[in-house]
């Protein structure tokens, strides 16, 4: 799967280093979502036991996930219920242990805003900490990730866990991407001064987090501005509300085609990491789009012209 040892990277491809190895970003990489929560917006309550979770992980990996992203606390738009660190650890850590044992080469990301959960997960073999607060909500997070050499996803959001996926803080001036970039730059500065190395950091514009649909669309359309900062970019558009508003598909689990549209547009603008629920169709779509992008690049270099996208 995604480990460099088993999957030789192209020369000069950026590497995302993390606590158990490195992921070569020489092609689109997929993080398959594992929500071990009773209340997630699109798939909450579907994984109730450790065995359910194991089977779900098996399926994501078989379908082509490069890593899995395990979350034990929902941020659902209709007001998430905050979970204490003990309960979140009880949901997440046993699964991290099992996946690490069954799939030693697969990077495990843990979706948490709490340093205690991150610490216990990294001890149990996790590779990456995906913090939807961009290290805003727990002062100890950056230090713990730095000390463990974890890969980190710094996602843009505003507010706390209960409000970050609502519109309570969705107020922007005439350049929302400029504001998101400024806030993510501050997150990067904080992470680096607490000891997180530059080559561990991935940025995420936070689709749907403190953003109305028009702002989420602007994040994707102007994604190359975020890519230009020089950090790998991850996009989490999967099944989200803006897709429902564009397509009229009310049921989140039926927003697969819309998700793919968003992800292919993001790939063309320089995103290399995609957090998705539906791995198989996403894998196929991203691989086809990537093959076309690479062929255009080869054709452009043959004629001496510059390819437009940064890859
Ligand atoms: N979105 C969600 C959760 N975690 N992490 C990153 N890096 N980027 C995202 O866009 C992102 C994320 C929300 O989606 P989901 O996990 O499906 O729902 P819930 O928060 O209700 O569990």
């Amino acid at each position: 799967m995604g480990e460099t040892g088993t999957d030789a990277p192209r020369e000069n491809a950026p590497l995302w280093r993390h606590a158990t190895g490195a992921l070569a970003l020489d092609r689109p990489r997929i993080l398959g979502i594992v929500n071990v929560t009773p209340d997630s917006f699109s798939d909450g309550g579907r994984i109730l036991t450790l065995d359910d979770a194991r089977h779900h992980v098996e399926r994501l990996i078989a379908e082509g996930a490069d890593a899995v992203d395990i979350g034990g606390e929902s941020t659902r738009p209709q007001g998430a219920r905050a979970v204490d660190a003990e309960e979140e650890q009880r949901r997440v850590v046993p699964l991290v242990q099992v996946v690490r044992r069954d799939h030693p080469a697969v990077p495990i990301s843990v979706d948490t805003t709490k340093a205690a959960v991150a610490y216990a997960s990294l001890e149990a073999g996790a590779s990456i900490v995906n913090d939807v607060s961009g290290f805003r909500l727990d002062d100890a997070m950056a230090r713990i990730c730095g000390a463990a050499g974890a890969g980190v996803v710094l996602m843009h959001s505003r507010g706390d866990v209960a409000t970050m996926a609502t519109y309570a803080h969705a107020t922007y001036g005439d350049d929302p991407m400029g504001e998101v970039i400024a806030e993510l730059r501050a997150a990067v500065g904080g992470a680096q001064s607490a000891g997180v190395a530059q080559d561990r950091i991935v940025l995420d514009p936070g689709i749907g987090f403190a953003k109305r649909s028009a702002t989420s669309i602007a994040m994707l359309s102007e994604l190359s501005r975020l890519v230009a900062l020089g950090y790998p970019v991850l996009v989490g558009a999967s099944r989200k509300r803006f897709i429902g508003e564009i397509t009229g598909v009310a049921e989140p689990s039926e927003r697969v085609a819309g998700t793919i549209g968003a992800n292919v547009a993001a790939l063309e603008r320089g995103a290399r990491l995609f957090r998705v629920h539906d791995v198989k169709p996403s894998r196929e779509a991203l691989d086809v789009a990537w093959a076309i992008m690479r062929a255009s690049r080869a054709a452009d270099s043959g004629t001496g012209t510059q390819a437009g996208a940064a890859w």
Side-chain angles (χ1 to χ4, degrees):
M1 298 305 311
E3 284 294 301
T4 49
T6 55
D7 194 2
R10 278 191 305 129
E11 234 178 296
N12 300 328
L15 281 181
W16 181 21
R17 295 189 190 281
H18 54 71
T20 63
L23 192 60
L25 303 178
D26 57 344
R27 72 189 84 154
R29 296 296 191 175
I30 290 179
L31 276 70
I33 299 173
V34 188
N35 279 327
V36 279
T37 51
D39 55 350
S40 286
F41 83 96
S42 79
D43 57 358
R46 302 219 6 226
I47 298 176
L48 294 173
T49 67
L50 187 57
D51 232 35
D52 291 345
R54 272 181 63 191
H55 286 124
H56 186 63
V57 168
E58 294 299 331
R59 178 173 167 186
L60 297 178
I61 293 171
E63 290 183 350
D66 298 290
V68 289
D69 184 46
I70 299 172
E73 179 176 51
S74 174
T75 52
R76 65 186 295 169
Q78 293 77 22
R81 195 174 57 83
V83 173
D84 66 32
E86 226 168 89
E87 169 65 14
E88 201 180 324
Q89 275 180 53
R90 199 186 57 71
R91 293 177 183 178
V92 167
V93 173
L95 182 58
V96 171
Q97 287 167 333
V98 165
V99 177
R100 176 52 64 237
R101 185 197 65 203
D102 293 351
H103 300 280
V106 173
I108 301 170
S109 162
V110 172
D111 186 341
T112 187
T113 60
K114 299 187 187 73
V117 177
Y119 181 80
S121 301
L122 291 163
E123 287 277 292
S127 320
I128 294 158
V129 174
N130 170 26
D131 185 344
V132 296
S133 81
F135 289 179
R136 286 182 301 107
L137 297 181
D138 191 327
D139 289 343
M141 192 62 123
R143 190 170 35 78
I144 278 166
C145 290
V152 303
V153 180
L154 299 177
M155 195 199 81
H156 178 265
S157 65
R158 294 172 175 173
D160 60 15
V161 168
T163 61
M164 62 171 60
T166 70
Y167 298 149
H169 306 281
T171 309
Y172 296 86
D174 55 12
D175 181 16
M177 180 53 101
E179 291 181 41
V180 166
I181 285 174
E183 288 165 44
L184 283 176
R185 273 187 192 279
V188 168
Q192 288 187 335
S193 52
V196 178
Q198 186 161 345
D199 59 7
R200 315 269 152 169
I201 297 174
V202 161
L203 300 181
D204 180 339
I207 303 299
F209 283 88
K211 293 170 192 78
R212 295 175 194 281
S213 291
T215 312
S216 288
I217 293 166
M219 292 300 113
L220 292 166
S221 98
E222 296 178 42
L223 199 71
S224 42
R225 291 175 62 194
L226 183 58
V227 171
L229 296 190
Y231 296 90
V233 168
L234 181 147
V235 162
S238 191
R239 300 182 179 178
K240 282 191 177 160
R241 183 177 351 188
F242 81 101
I243 294 171
E245 287 181 11
I246 293 170
T247 59
V249 177
E251 170 51 44
S253 65
E254 290 170 12
R255 295 175 184 158
V256 181
T259 298
I260 287 171
N263 284 341
V264 168
L267 177 72
E268 286 184 320
R269 288 160 176 76
R272 289 293 171 266
L273 292 143
F274 302 86
R275 179 182 180 277
V276 302
H277 299 85
D278 306 288
V279 169
K280 184 172 187 288
S282 301
R283 177 84 276 161
E284 291 172 4
L286 288 165
D287 286 352
V288 170
W290 182 246
I292 294 166
M293 288 167 66
R294 289 190 66 187
S296 329
R297 185 180 58 158
D300 286 347
S301 60
T303 57
T305 55
Q306 290 291 315
W311 57 66

